[in-house]
């Protein structure tokens, strides 16, 4: 359709990209380009790139896209936050802000133009930025901006079969995904950020990815007990082995989860995991029973941020067509009150904002019975 223009399309959650012939040429990707560690270039029968790149290999293509200017980024950030404000939100958790995004946040804060509170989670992939903040320390006194958290990635996505599993993928024998150093997780830098007073939110999807993330967090907390109070997070906690549900609460770890993922993934998640392992996926109730604090979000731009869509997914575990009628593994569904708190007071707690925002009934945020 656009033979004279390089075109790149991102997948729903960004763990795969597609480029047309010209985009591949601009990026220097051809049949002789090797796969990147922790990623793959999908190829046709003749060995030529198909245009689809998975997981860390996506960087080969996206790195060729011309850089966004500071002015463009600032305008994009402001437009996004204004959309959230118009739709009724008072705060966002921005997971994975790099140098340019942080610069936009700080300038908008200084100008008094942030329309909603921003809980910025600094990208661990931007080492220069992390070093700057280690020296500077957490920023918690802003009017609308807080920067006391860092976002890291331990494994990839379940859809792309990049999530790290303890056993083979049910629909790809011999394959278990990618994680840790192979996926670019800088363990030493992550521990440094924690010791510098920053909460860490680590993206972990597979049961092996979650277990290894728990082991890492436990080891840092054991060596530096003061870091436990920072309310570290596992972002998504999407597939958890039953033996590991009880490991979150003792370490004070929050499960930051996205109810829409459940209803959007249900058509293929069981193919990836099988009928037994899938019972540990999107397991909000099991985590609640284990005393794990939760926070809910949309994982923008992966899922629609419409609060009613999120609440519907959390309470019914049905999609927009109300399927399946009784809910997908409905025993893991939230009550209406839990779902509402997941997007409000529990999210405020995850940011250290309790009493400042997200409060439904002052003094009542912790008074829900664990079921």
């Amino acid at each position: 359709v656009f033979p004279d223009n390089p075109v790149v399309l991102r997948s729903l959650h960004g763990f795969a990209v597609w480029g047309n012939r010209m985009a591949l040429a601009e990026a220097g990707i051809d049949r002789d380009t090797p796969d990147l560690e922790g990623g793959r270039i999908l190829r046709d029968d003749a060995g030529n790139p198909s245009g689809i790149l998975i997981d860390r290999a996506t960087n080969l293509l996206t790195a060729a896209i011309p850089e966004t200017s500071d002015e463009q980024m600032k305008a994009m950030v402001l437009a996004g936050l204004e959309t959230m404000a118009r739709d009724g939100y008072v705060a966002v958790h921005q997971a994975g802000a790099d140098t340019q995004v942080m610069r936009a946040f700080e300038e908008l804060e200084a100008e008094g133009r942030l329309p909603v509170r921003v809980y910025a989670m600094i990208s661990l992939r931007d080492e220069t930025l992390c070093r700057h903040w280690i020296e500077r320390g957490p920023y918690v006194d802003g009017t609308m901006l807080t920067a006391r958290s860092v976002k890291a990635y331990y494994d990839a996505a379940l859809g792309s079969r990049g999530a790290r599993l303890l056993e083979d993928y049910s629909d790809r024998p011999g394959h278990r995904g990618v994680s840790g150093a192979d996926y670019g997780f800088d363990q030493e830098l992550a521990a440094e950020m924690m010791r510098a007073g920053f909460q860490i939110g680590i993206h972990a999807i597979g049961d092996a990815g979650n277990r290894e993330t728990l082991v890492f967090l436990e080891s840092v907390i054991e060596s530096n007990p003061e870091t436990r109070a920072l309310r570290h997070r596992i972002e998504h906690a999407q597939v958890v082995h039953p033996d590991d549900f009880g490991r979150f609460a003792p370490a004070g770890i929050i499960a930051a989860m996205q109810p829409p993922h459940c209803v959007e993934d249900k058509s293929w998640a069981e193919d990836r995991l099988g009928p037994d392992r899938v019972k540990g996926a999107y397991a909000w109730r099991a985590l609640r029973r284990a005393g794990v604090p939760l926070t809910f979000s949309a994982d923008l731009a992966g899922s629609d941020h419409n609060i009613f869509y999120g609440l519907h997914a959390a309470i019914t575990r049905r999609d927009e067509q109300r399927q399946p009628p009784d809910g997908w593994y409905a025993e893991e569904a939230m009550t209406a009150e839990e779902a509402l708190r997941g997007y409000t007071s529990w999210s405020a707690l995850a940011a250290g904002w309790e009493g400042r925002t997200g409060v439904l009934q002052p003094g009542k945020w912790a008074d829900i019975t664990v079921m």
Side-chain angles (χ1 to χ4, degrees), residues 281-358:
Y282 321 92
W284 316 318
R285 174 64 54 213
L287 286 162
R288 287 276 291 136
R289 285 184 176 136
V292 183
L294 304 183
T295 177
F296 290 156
S297 66
D299 197 26
L300 280 172
S303 298
D304 193 332
H305 67 281
N306 184 311
I307 187 61
F308 298 105
Y309 175 52
L311 293 172
H312 181 268
I315 296 166
T316 70
R317 292 176 72 96
R318 298 187 302 182
D319 59 26
E320 292 174 286
Q321 287 72 48
R322 301 181 182 181
Q323 296 299 318
D326 296 327
W328 192 65
Y329 293 97
E331 64 273 12
E332 294 294 337
M334 295 282 94
T335 66
E337 183 177 352
E338 287 172 322
L340 187 57
R341 289 185 183 277
Y343 285 102
T344 54
S345 58
W346 293 352
S347 290
L349 180 69
W353 284 344
E354 64 270 23
R356 181 181 178 190
T357 189

Side-chain angles (χ1 to χ4, degrees), residues 14-324:
F15 291 93
V17 295
W18 174 90
N20 66 355
R21 187 174 291 106
M22 192 170 206
L24 294 177
E26 289 283 335
I29 299 171
D30 57 29
R31 64 179 295 119
D32 297 321
T33 304
D35 287 346
L36 194 67
E37 186 175 15
R40 291 186 300 130
I41 301 170
L42 301 192
R43 306 172 192 271
D44 62 22
D45 292 340
N48 297 306
S50 68
I52 298 174
L53 294 86
I54 302 294
D55 297 329
R56 292 194 75 198
T58 59
N59 298 333
L60 297 173
L61 190 56
T62 58
I65 300 173
E67 290 186 9
T68 303
S69 71
D70 284 351
E71 293 75 18
Q72 288 173 319
M73 180 58 70
K74 189 174 177 181
M76 291 162 61
V77 167
L78 183 59
L81 295 177
E82 286 177 339
T83 297
M84 300 301 287
R86 283 195 301 271
D87 289 347
Y89 287 84
V90 298
V92 297
H93 295 196
Q94 207 289 345
D98 61 16
T99 295
Q100 196 173 44
V101 172
M102 283 303 301
R103 186 181 298 126
F105 284 151
E106 291 188 271
E107 288 182 5
L108 291 168
E109 164 82 345
E111 295 164 7
R113 297 174 62 199
L114 285 175
V116 298
R117 289 187 179 93
V118 174
Y119 187 70
M121 302 172 70
I122 298 157
S123 174
L124 193 74
R125 289 176 169 172
D126 192 331
E127 183 176 357
T128 300
L129 181 64
C130 288
R131 297 292 175 194
H132 165 77
W133 280 95
I134 287 172
E135 183 176 344
R136 179 175 174 179
Y139 178 71
V140 297
D141 299 322
T143 302
M144 298 291 281
L145 176 65
T146 297
R148 59 168 291 269
S149 185
V150 60
K151 170 69 182 298
Y153 290 85
Y154 195 83
D155 65 352
L158 189 64
S160 64
R161 299 182 183 85
R164 185 66 172 169
L165 300 181
L166 293 168
E167 302 293 339
D168 293 355
Y169 275 80
S170 295
D171 57 359
R172 183 178 290 173
H175 181 70
R176 297 189 181 187
V178 61
S179 65
D182 291 340
Y183 195 62
F185 178 73
D186 190 329
Q187 181 171 312
E188 291 303 318
L189 183 58
E192 280 189 64
M193 291 293 288
M194 293 168 66
R195 289 191 293 266
F198 288 87
Q199 172 200 65
I200 192 166
I202 304 177
H203 164 113
I205 299 291
D207 51 8
N210 275 281
R211 177 172 291 179
E212 292 163 12
T213 297
L214 286 164
V215 169
F216 166 74
L217 291 171
E218 290 166 344
S219 68
V220 177
I221 291 170
E222 182 178 4
S223 300
N224 306 269
E226 73 282 359
T227 63
R228 185 188 183 282
L230 297 172
R231 302 176 185 174
H232 302 299
R233 300 159 51 148
I234 292 184
E235 305 297 318
H236 312 306
Q238 197 161 312
V239 186
V240 179
H241 190 280
D243 292 347
D244 295 327
F245 286 122
R247 298 174 66 172
F248 285 72
I253 296 169
I254 295 168
M257 307 181 78
Q258 296 71 37
H261 286 178
C262 166
V263 298
E264 291 165 359
D265 297 355
K266 61 180 173 57
S267 62
W268 50 260
E270 191 161 337
D271 292 338
R272 301 282 190 277
L273 300 170
D276 295 323
R277 193 164 42 181
V278 76
K279 294 175 183 177
Y282 321 92
W284 316 318
R285 174 64 54 213
L287 286 162
R288 287 276 291 136
R289 285 184 176 136
V292 183
L294 304 183
T295 177
F296 290 156
S297 66
D299 197 26
L300 280 172
S303 298
D304 193 332
H305 67 281
N306 184 311
I307 187 61
F308 298 105
Y309 175 52
L311 293 172
H312 181 268
I315 296 166
T316 70
R317 292 176 72 96
R318 298 187 302 182
D319 59 26
E320 292 174 286
Q321 287 72 48
R322 301 181 182 181
Q323 296 299 318

